Amino acid sequence: MIFTLPAKFIFRLTRPTVIIFAGKGRDIAISAVSHLLKNYISSFCLVREKISFSCVTKKIIAISYSDLSDEDLRFLLVFAKKVLLVVTHTSDLYPDKIIIPGQLQEAEKIHELSPLLSLNDVIFLNSDDEALLEIKTKMKSSVVTFGLG
């Protein structure tokens, strides 16, 4: 669990926006977005291990999907003001390689999140990843794509 009990209580009151980063390139995306937000938004917190009391008082919290337990994820999805899910890529991206639909394991994990996201939430998908584009049409929340594809 990434929350302390006092942090959970404060999170429910403050209801920050949460950015969840998923996919194989999430560390690069976290670094880029964090750098940008730290320079322009003073009320931002990047979570590395535990969500502290001081972090839940911020307006925007960023976290890696891999750091979340199922319980933490459900808590964030229920109590966050808004969830922004950024999915970099779930398969190897090679221009000359065809991605086989049977190799959608990580993409399917992302798809499992879709019923939990509200219409208010936004998913950012890498359009260069064929596996992600397959699940794009099944999402009920807003979908924004990025990439060259």
PDB file of all heavy atoms in Angstrom, residues 112-143:
ATOM      1  N   GLU A 112      -8.278  -3.474 -18.865  1.00  0.00           N
ATOM      2  CA  GLU A 112      -9.032  -3.829 -17.657  1.00  0.00           C
ATOM      3  C   GLU A 112      -9.352  -2.610 -16.798  1.00  0.00           C
ATOM      4  O   GLU A 112     -10.297  -2.622 -16.017  1.00  0.00           O
ATOM      5  CB  GLU A 112      -8.257  -4.862 -16.839  1.00  0.00           C
ATOM      6  CG  GLU A 112      -8.192  -6.229 -17.486  1.00  0.00           C
ATOM      7  CD  GLU A 112      -7.254  -7.178 -16.766  1.00  0.00           C
ATOM      8  OE1 GLU A 112      -6.786  -6.845 -15.659  1.00  0.00           O
ATOM      9  OE2 GLU A 112      -6.982  -8.255 -17.321  1.00  0.00           O
ATOM     10  N   LEU A 113      -8.564  -1.563 -16.954  1.00  0.00           N
ATOM     11  CA  LEU A 113      -8.823  -0.327 -16.202  1.00  0.00           C
ATOM     12  C   LEU A 113     -10.021   0.444 -16.749  1.00  0.00           C
ATOM     13  O   LEU A 113     -10.655   1.197 -16.016  1.00  0.00           O
ATOM     14  CB  LEU A 113      -7.610   0.604 -16.272  1.00  0.00           C
ATOM     15  CG  LEU A 113      -6.370   0.218 -15.511  1.00  0.00           C
ATOM     16  CD1 LEU A 113      -5.270   1.228 -15.791  1.00  0.00           C
ATOM     17  CD2 LEU A 113      -6.652   0.149 -14.035  1.00  0.00           C
ATOM     18  N   SER A 114     -10.337   0.274 -18.016  1.00  0.00           N
ATOM     19  CA  SER A 114     -11.338   1.118 -18.658  1.00  0.00           C
ATOM     20  C   SER A 114     -12.700   1.142 -17.970  1.00  0.00           C
ATOM     21  O   SER A 114     -13.294   2.205 -17.857  1.00  0.00           O
ATOM     22  CB  SER A 114     -11.486   0.777 -20.143  1.00  0.00           C
ATOM     23  OG  SER A 114     -11.972  -0.524 -20.295  1.00  0.00           O
ATOM     24  N   PRO A 115     -13.224   0.018 -17.467  1.00  0.00           N
ATOM     25  CA  PRO A 115     -14.515   0.122 -16.786  1.00  0.00           C
ATOM     26  C   PRO A 115     -14.440   0.916 -15.471  1.00  0.00           C
ATOM     27  O   PRO A 115     -15.454   1.411 -14.987  1.00  0.00           O
ATOM     28  CB  PRO A 115     -14.901  -1.325 -16.490  1.00  0.00           C
ATOM     29  CG  PRO A 115     -13.963  -2.184 -17.221  1.00  0.00           C
ATOM     30  CD  PRO A 115     -12.782  -1.356 -17.576  1.00  0.00           C
ATOM     31  N   LEU A 116     -13.241   1.038 -14.921  1.00  0.00           N
ATOM     32  CA  LEU A 116     -13.078   1.749 -13.657  1.00  0.00           C
ATOM     33  C   LEU A 116     -12.935   3.259 -13.843  1.00  0.00           C
ATOM     34  O   LEU A 116     -13.110   4.019 -12.906  1.00  0.00           O
ATOM     35  CB  LEU A 116     -11.858   1.206 -12.913  1.00  0.00           C
ATOM     36  CG  LEU A 116     -11.855  -0.297 -12.625  1.00  0.00           C
ATOM     37  CD1 LEU A 116     -10.518  -0.715 -12.029  1.00  0.00           C
ATOM     38  CD2 LEU A 116     -12.999  -0.673 -11.706  1.00  0.00           C
ATOM     39  N   LEU A 117     -12.597   3.677 -15.058  1.00  0.00           N
ATOM     40  CA  LEU A 117     -12.413   5.105 -15.328  1.00  0.00           C
ATOM     41  C   LEU A 117     -13.754   5.771 -15.596  1.00  0.00           C
ATOM     42  O   LEU A 117     -14.642   5.181 -16.207  1.00  0.00           O
ATOM     43  CB  LEU A 117     -11.493   5.295 -16.532  1.00  0.00           C
ATOM     44  CG  LEU A 117     -10.065   4.809 -16.339  1.00  0.00           C
ATOM     45  CD1 LEU A 117      -9.333   4.796 -17.671  1.00  0.00           C
ATOM     46  CD2 LEU A 117      -9.328   5.650 -15.337  1.00  0.00           C
ATOM     47  N   SER A 118     -13.891   6.999 -15.128  1.00  0.00           N
ATOM     48  CA  SER A 118     -15.140   7.727 -15.345  1.00  0.00           C
ATOM     49  C   SER A 118     -15.085   8.453 -16.690  1.00  0.00           C
ATOM     50  O   SER A 118     -14.035   8.570 -17.315  1.00  0.00           O
ATOM     51  CB  SER A 118     -15.358   8.727 -14.212  1.00  0.00           C
ATOM     52  OG  SER A 118     -14.482   9.818 -14.359  1.00  0.00           O
ATOM     53  N   LEU A 119     -16.199   8.972 -17.101  1.00  0.00           N
ATOM     54  CA  LEU A 119     -16.249   9.751 -18.341  1.00  0.00           C
ATOM     55  C   LEU A 119     -15.439  11.031 -18.228  1.00  0.00           C
ATOM     56  O   LEU A 119     -15.029  11.614 -19.222  1.00  0.00           O
ATOM     57  CB  LEU A 119     -17.704  10.080 -18.699  1.00  0.00           C
ATOM     58  CG  LEU A 119     -18.575   8.875 -19.049  1.00  0.00           C
ATOM     59  CD1 LEU A 119     -20.026   9.309 -19.215  1.00  0.00           C
ATOM     60  CD2 LEU A 119     -18.071   8.181 -20.293  1.00  0.00           C
ATOM     61  N   ASN A 120     -15.168  11.467 -17.003  1.00  0.00           N
ATOM     62  CA  ASN A 120     -14.395  12.667 -16.724  1.00  0.00           C
ATOM     63  C   ASN A 120     -12.889  12.441 -16.907  1.00  0.00           C
ATOM     64  O   ASN A 120     -12.133  13.377 -17.091  1.00  0.00           O
ATOM     65  CB  ASN A 120     -14.697  13.118 -15.283  1.00  0.00           C
ATOM     66  CG  ASN A 120     -14.032  14.410 -14.918  1.00  0.00           C
ATOM     67  OD1 ASN A 120     -14.012  15.357 -15.694  1.00  0.00           O
ATOM     68  ND2 ASN A 120     -13.481  14.454 -13.721  1.00  0.00           N
ATOM     69  N   ASP A 121     -12.467  11.176 -16.835  1.00  0.00           N
ATOM     70  CA  ASP A 121     -11.048  10.845 -16.920  1.00  0.00           C
ATOM     71  C   ASP A 121     -10.566  10.852 -18.370  1.00  0.00           C
ATOM     72  O   ASP A 121     -11.363  10.805 -19.306  1.00  0.00           O
ATOM     73  CB  ASP A 121     -10.794   9.477 -16.283  1.00  0.00           C
ATOM     74  CG  ASP A 121     -11.153   9.457 -14.803  1.00  0.00           C
ATOM     75  OD1 ASP A 121     -11.063  10.519 -14.156  1.00  0.00           O
ATOM     76  OD2 ASP A 121     -11.532   8.389 -14.308  1.00  0.00           O
ATOM     77  N   VAL A 122      -9.236  10.915 -18.540  1.00  0.00           N
ATOM     78  CA  VAL A 122      -8.649  10.965 -19.879  1.00  0.00           C
ATOM     79  C   VAL A 122      -7.525   9.942 -19.971  1.00  0.00           C
ATOM     80  O   VAL A 122      -6.716   9.809 -19.047  1.00  0.00           O
ATOM     81  CB  VAL A 122      -8.081  12.372 -20.195  1.00  0.00           C
ATOM     82  CG1 VAL A 122      -7.490  12.422 -21.600  1.00  0.00           C
ATOM     83  CG2 VAL A 122      -9.141  13.446 -20.028  1.00  0.00           C
ATOM     84  N   ILE A 123      -7.490   9.241 -21.107  1.00  0.00           N
ATOM     85  CA  ILE A 123      -6.415   8.279 -21.364  1.00  0.00           C
ATOM     86  C   ILE A 123      -5.606   8.802 -22.545  1.00  0.00           C
ATOM     87  O   ILE A 123      -6.161   9.149 -23.584  1.00  0.00           O
ATOM     88  CB  ILE A 123      -6.972   6.886 -21.709  1.00  0.00           C
ATOM     89  CG1 ILE A 123      -7.852   6.379 -20.573  1.00  0.00           C
ATOM     90  CG2 ILE A 123      -5.842   5.907 -21.989  1.00  0.00           C
ATOM     91  CD1 ILE A 123      -8.631   5.134 -20.929  1.00  0.00           C
ATOM     92  N   PHE A 124      -4.280   8.853 -22.364  1.00  0.00           N
ATOM     93  CA  PHE A 124      -3.368   9.251 -23.430  1.00  0.00           C
ATOM     94  C   PHE A 124      -2.677   7.984 -23.926  1.00  0.00           C
ATOM     95  O   PHE A 124      -1.970   7.330 -23.154  1.00  0.00           O
ATOM     96  CB  PHE A 124      -2.326  10.247 -22.912  1.00  0.00           C
ATOM     97  CG  PHE A 124      -2.927  11.549 -22.461  1.00  0.00           C
ATOM     98  CD1 PHE A 124      -3.406  11.700 -21.162  1.00  0.00           C
ATOM     99  CD2 PHE A 124      -3.019  12.616 -23.332  1.00  0.00           C
ATOM    100  CE1 PHE A 124      -3.972  12.892 -20.742  1.00  0.00           C
ATOM    101  CE2 PHE A 124      -3.577  13.821 -22.918  1.00  0.00           C
ATOM    102  CZ  PHE A 124      -4.052  13.960 -21.622  1.00  0.00           C
ATOM    103  N   LEU A 125      -2.893   7.635 -25.200  1.00  0.00           N
ATOM    104  CA  LEU A 125      -2.341   6.401 -25.755  1.00  0.00           C
ATOM    105  C   LEU A 125      -1.340   6.705 -26.859  1.00  0.00           C
ATOM    106  O   LEU A 125      -1.566   7.587 -27.697  1.00  0.00           O
ATOM    107  CB  LEU A 125      -3.451   5.522 -26.350  1.00  0.00           C
ATOM    108  CG  LEU A 125      -4.507   4.992 -25.404  1.00  0.00           C
ATOM    109  CD1 LEU A 125      -5.575   4.248 -26.189  1.00  0.00           C
ATOM    110  CD2 LEU A 125      -3.881   4.090 -24.360  1.00  0.00           C
ATOM    111  N   ASN A 126      -0.273   5.925 -26.914  1.00  0.00           N
ATOM    112  CA  ASN A 126       0.722   6.044 -27.962  1.00  0.00           C
ATOM    113  C   ASN A 126       0.165   5.399 -29.233  1.00  0.00           C
ATOM    114  O   ASN A 126      -0.054   4.195 -29.288  1.00  0.00           O
ATOM    115  CB  ASN A 126       2.012   5.339 -27.531  1.00  0.00           C
ATOM    116  CG  ASN A 126       3.136   5.524 -28.514  1.00  0.00           C
ATOM    117  OD1 ASN A 126       2.935   5.894 -29.662  1.00  0.00           O
ATOM    118  ND2 ASN A 126       4.343   5.251 -28.062  1.00  0.00           N
ATOM    119  N   SER A 127      -0.064   6.216 -30.258  1.00  0.00           N
ATOM    120  CA  SER A 127      -0.650   5.699 -31.496  1.00  0.00           C
ATOM    121  C   SER A 127       0.332   4.855 -32.304  1.00  0.00           C
ATOM    122  O   SER A 127      -0.050   4.229 -33.287  1.00  0.00           O
ATOM    123  CB  SER A 127      -1.183   6.849 -32.358  1.00  0.00           C
ATOM    124  OG  SER A 127      -0.125   7.710 -32.728  1.00  0.00           O
ATOM    125  N   ASP A 128       1.599   4.821 -31.910  1.00  0.00           N
ATOM    126  CA  ASP A 128       2.580   3.970 -32.582  1.00  0.00           C
ATOM    127  C   ASP A 128       2.481   2.519 -32.125  1.00  0.00           C
ATOM    128  O   ASP A 128       3.109   1.645 -32.704  1.00  0.00           O
ATOM    129  CB  ASP A 128       4.000   4.481 -32.316  1.00  0.00           C
ATOM    130  CG  ASP A 128       4.236   5.859 -32.920  1.00  0.00           C
ATOM    131  OD1 ASP A 128       3.585   6.177 -33.934  1.00  0.00           O
ATOM    132  OD2 ASP A 128       5.054   6.605 -32.368  1.00  0.00           O
ATOM    133  N   ASP A 129       1.718   2.269 -31.083  1.00  0.00           N
ATOM    134  CA  ASP A 129       1.577   0.921 -30.519  1.00  0.00           C
ATOM    135  C   ASP A 129       0.247   0.318 -30.978  1.00  0.00           C
ATOM    136  O   ASP A 129      -0.819   0.711 -30.507  1.00  0.00           O
ATOM    137  CB  ASP A 129       1.640   0.987 -28.991  1.00  0.00           C
ATOM    138  CG  ASP A 129       1.731  -0.371 -28.324  1.00  0.00           C
ATOM    139  OD1 ASP A 129       1.294  -1.373 -28.930  1.00  0.00           O
ATOM    140  OD2 ASP A 129       2.222  -0.424 -27.190  1.00  0.00           O
ATOM    141  N   GLU A 130       0.322  -0.613 -31.912  1.00  0.00           N
ATOM    142  CA  GLU A 130      -0.885  -1.239 -32.472  1.00  0.00           C
ATOM    143  C   GLU A 130      -1.734  -1.904 -31.386  1.00  0.00           C
ATOM    144  O   GLU A 130      -2.954  -1.919 -31.468  1.00  0.00           O
ATOM    145  CB  GLU A 130      -0.503  -2.276 -33.530  1.00  0.00           C
ATOM    146  CG  GLU A 130       0.137  -1.681 -34.761  1.00  0.00           C
ATOM    147  CD  GLU A 130      -0.813  -0.822 -35.566  1.00  0.00           C
ATOM    148  OE1 GLU A 130      -2.027  -1.125 -35.612  1.00  0.00           O
ATOM    149  OE2 GLU A 130      -0.348   0.170 -36.155  1.00  0.00           O
ATOM    150  N   ALA A 131      -1.088  -2.451 -30.380  1.00  0.00           N
ATOM    151  CA  ALA A 131      -1.821  -3.126 -29.298  1.00  0.00           C
ATOM    152  C   ALA A 131      -2.726  -2.148 -28.566  1.00  0.00           C
ATOM    153  O   ALA A 131      -3.835  -2.489 -28.162  1.00  0.00           O
ATOM    154  CB  ALA A 131      -0.842  -3.785 -28.331  1.00  0.00           C
ATOM    155  N   LEU A 132      -2.268  -0.922 -28.399  1.00  0.00           N
ATOM    156  CA  LEU A 132      -3.077   0.085 -27.706  1.00  0.00           C
ATOM    157  C   LEU A 132      -4.214   0.594 -28.580  1.00  0.00           C
ATOM    158  O   LEU A 132      -5.308   0.858 -28.102  1.00  0.00           O
ATOM    159  CB  LEU A 132      -2.204   1.254 -27.254  1.00  0.00           C
ATOM    160  CG  LEU A 132      -1.193   0.931 -26.173  1.00  0.00           C
ATOM    161  CD1 LEU A 132      -0.324   2.144 -25.883  1.00  0.00           C
ATOM    162  CD2 LEU A 132      -1.875   0.455 -24.912  1.00  0.00           C
ATOM    163  N   LEU A 133      -3.957   0.703 -29.886  1.00  0.00           N
ATOM    164  CA  LEU A 133      -5.003   1.188 -30.776  1.00  0.00           C
ATOM    165  C   LEU A 133      -6.169   0.208 -30.845  1.00  0.00           C
ATOM    166  O   LEU A 133      -7.311   0.616 -31.045  1.00  0.00           O
ATOM    167  CB  LEU A 133      -4.426   1.454 -32.165  1.00  0.00           C
ATOM    168  CG  LEU A 133      -3.481   2.652 -32.236  1.00  0.00           C
ATOM    169  CD1 LEU A 133      -2.941   2.824 -33.654  1.00  0.00           C
ATOM    170  CD2 LEU A 133      -4.177   3.921 -31.784  1.00  0.00           C
ATOM    171  N   GLU A 134      -5.884  -1.071 -30.673  1.00  0.00           N
ATOM    172  CA  GLU A 134      -6.947  -2.070 -30.675  1.00  0.00           C
ATOM    173  C   GLU A 134      -7.924  -1.860 -29.523  1.00  0.00           C
ATOM    174  O   GLU A 134      -9.100  -2.126 -29.661  1.00  0.00           O
ATOM    175  CB  GLU A 134      -6.360  -3.484 -30.577  1.00  0.00           C
ATOM    176  CG  GLU A 134      -5.775  -3.980 -31.867  1.00  0.00           C
ATOM    177  CD  GLU A 134      -5.372  -5.438 -31.781  1.00  0.00           C
ATOM    178  OE1 GLU A 134      -5.913  -6.181 -30.950  1.00  0.00           O
ATOM    179  OE2 GLU A 134      -4.499  -5.830 -32.562  1.00  0.00           O
ATOM    180  N   ILE A 135      -7.424  -1.410 -28.391  1.00  0.00           N
ATOM    181  CA  ILE A 135      -8.318  -1.235 -27.232  1.00  0.00           C
ATOM    182  C   ILE A 135      -8.890   0.182 -27.154  1.00  0.00           C
ATOM    183  O   ILE A 135      -9.794   0.433 -26.375  1.00  0.00           O
ATOM    184  CB  ILE A 135      -7.614  -1.604 -25.910  1.00  0.00           C
ATOM    185  CG1 ILE A 135      -6.435  -0.681 -25.630  1.00  0.00           C
ATOM    186  CG2 ILE A 135      -7.196  -3.048 -25.901  1.00  0.00           C
ATOM    187  CD1 ILE A 135      -5.846  -0.860 -24.258  1.00  0.00           C
ATOM    188  N   LYS A 136      -8.400   1.080 -27.987  1.00  0.00           N
ATOM    189  CA  LYS A 136      -8.852   2.478 -27.964  1.00  0.00           C
ATOM    190  C   LYS A 136     -10.367   2.588 -28.118  1.00  0.00           C
ATOM    191  O   LYS A 136     -11.015   3.357 -27.411  1.00  0.00           O
ATOM    192  CB  LYS A 136      -8.149   3.260 -29.075  1.00  0.00           C
ATOM    193  CG  LYS A 136      -8.616   4.672 -29.221  1.00  0.00           C
ATOM    194  CD  LYS A 136      -7.930   5.337 -30.396  1.00  0.00           C
ATOM    195  CE  LYS A 136      -8.574   6.677 -30.667  1.00  0.00           C
ATOM    196  NZ  LYS A 136      -8.033   7.309 -31.849  1.00  0.00           N
ATOM    197  N   THR A 137     -10.933   1.823 -29.013  1.00  0.00           N
ATOM    198  CA  THR A 137     -12.366   1.924 -29.293  1.00  0.00           C
ATOM    199  C   THR A 137     -13.225   1.383 -28.160  1.00  0.00           C
ATOM    200  O   THR A 137     -14.414   1.655 -28.100  1.00  0.00           O
ATOM    201  CB  THR A 137     -12.716   1.164 -30.583  1.00  0.00           C
ATOM    202  OG1 THR A 137     -12.305  -0.196 -30.441  1.00  0.00           O
ATOM    203  CG2 THR A 137     -12.026   1.782 -31.783  1.00  0.00           C
ATOM    204  N   LYS A 138     -12.635   0.630 -27.241  1.00  0.00           N
ATOM    205  CA  LYS A 138     -13.389   0.025 -26.149  1.00  0.00           C
ATOM    206  C   LYS A 138     -13.426   0.909 -24.892  1.00  0.00           C
ATOM    207  O   LYS A 138     -14.097   0.569 -23.933  1.00  0.00           O
ATOM    208  CB  LYS A 138     -12.793  -1.340 -25.801  1.00  0.00           C
ATOM    209  CG  LYS A 138     -12.829  -2.305 -26.970  1.00  0.00           C
ATOM    210  CD  LYS A 138     -12.101  -3.578 -26.652  1.00  0.00           C
ATOM    211  CE  LYS A 138     -12.051  -4.470 -27.878  1.00  0.00           C
ATOM    212  NZ  LYS A 138     -11.246  -5.654 -27.660  1.00  0.00           N
ATOM    213  N   MET A 139     -12.715   2.021 -24.911  1.00  0.00           N
ATOM    214  CA  MET A 139     -12.649   2.893 -23.743  1.00  0.00           C
ATOM    215  C   MET A 139     -13.869   3.797 -23.672  1.00  0.00           C
ATOM    216  O   MET A 139     -14.294   4.345 -24.679  1.00  0.00           O
ATOM    217  CB  MET A 139     -11.391   3.763 -23.795  1.00  0.00           C
ATOM    218  CG  MET A 139     -10.098   2.992 -23.850  1.00  0.00           C
ATOM    219  SD  MET A 139      -9.804   2.167 -22.294  1.00  0.00           S
ATOM    220  CE  MET A 139      -8.177   1.536 -22.560  1.00  0.00           C
ATOM    221  N   LYS A 140     -14.429   3.966 -22.474  1.00  0.00           N
ATOM    222  CA  LYS A 140     -15.569   4.879 -22.324  1.00  0.00           C
ATOM    223  C   LYS A 140     -15.127   6.294 -21.955  1.00  0.00           C
ATOM    224  O   LYS A 140     -15.860   7.242 -22.155  1.00  0.00           O
ATOM    225  CB  LYS A 140     -16.566   4.346 -21.296  1.00  0.00           C
ATOM    226  CG  LYS A 140     -16.068   4.362 -19.862  1.00  0.00           C
ATOM    227  CD  LYS A 140     -17.136   3.889 -18.906  1.00  0.00           C
ATOM    228  CE  LYS A 140     -16.610   3.974 -17.485  1.00  0.00           C
ATOM    229  NZ  LYS A 140     -17.576   3.534 -16.512  1.00  0.00           N
ATOM    230  N   SER A 141     -13.922   6.430 -21.411  1.00  0.00           N
ATOM    231  CA  SER A 141     -13.419   7.762 -21.069  1.00  0.00           C
ATOM    232  C   SER A 141     -12.838   8.419 -22.327  1.00  0.00           C
ATOM    233  O   SER A 141     -12.694   7.786 -23.367  1.00  0.00           O
ATOM    234  CB  SER A 141     -12.377   7.666 -19.965  1.00  0.00           C
ATOM    235  OG  SER A 141     -11.346   6.802 -20.356  1.00  0.00           O
ATOM    236  N   SER A 142     -12.495   9.682 -22.217  1.00  0.00           N
ATOM    237  CA  SER A 142     -11.895  10.396 -23.344  1.00  0.00           C
ATOM    238  C   SER A 142     -10.534   9.800 -23.668  1.00  0.00           C
ATOM    239  O   SER A 142      -9.769   9.456 -22.763  1.00  0.00           O
ATOM    240  CB  SER A 142     -11.704  11.867 -22.996  1.00  0.00           C
ATOM    241  OG  SER A 142     -12.950  12.465 -22.728  1.00  0.00           O
ATOM    242  N   VAL A 143     -10.236   9.676 -24.953  1.00  0.00           N
ATOM    243  CA  VAL A 143      -8.957   9.118 -25.401  1.00  0.00           C
ATOM    244  C   VAL A 143      -8.252  10.135 -26.267  1.00  0.00           C
ATOM    245  O   VAL A 143      -8.818  10.673 -27.207  1.00  0.00           O
ATOM    246  CB  VAL A 143      -9.159   7.796 -26.190  1.00  0.00           C
ATOM    247  CG1 VAL A 143      -7.834   7.267 -26.690  1.00  0.00           C
ATOM    248  CG2 VAL A 143      -9.861   6.757 -25.338  1.00  0.00           C
TER     249      VAL A 143
END
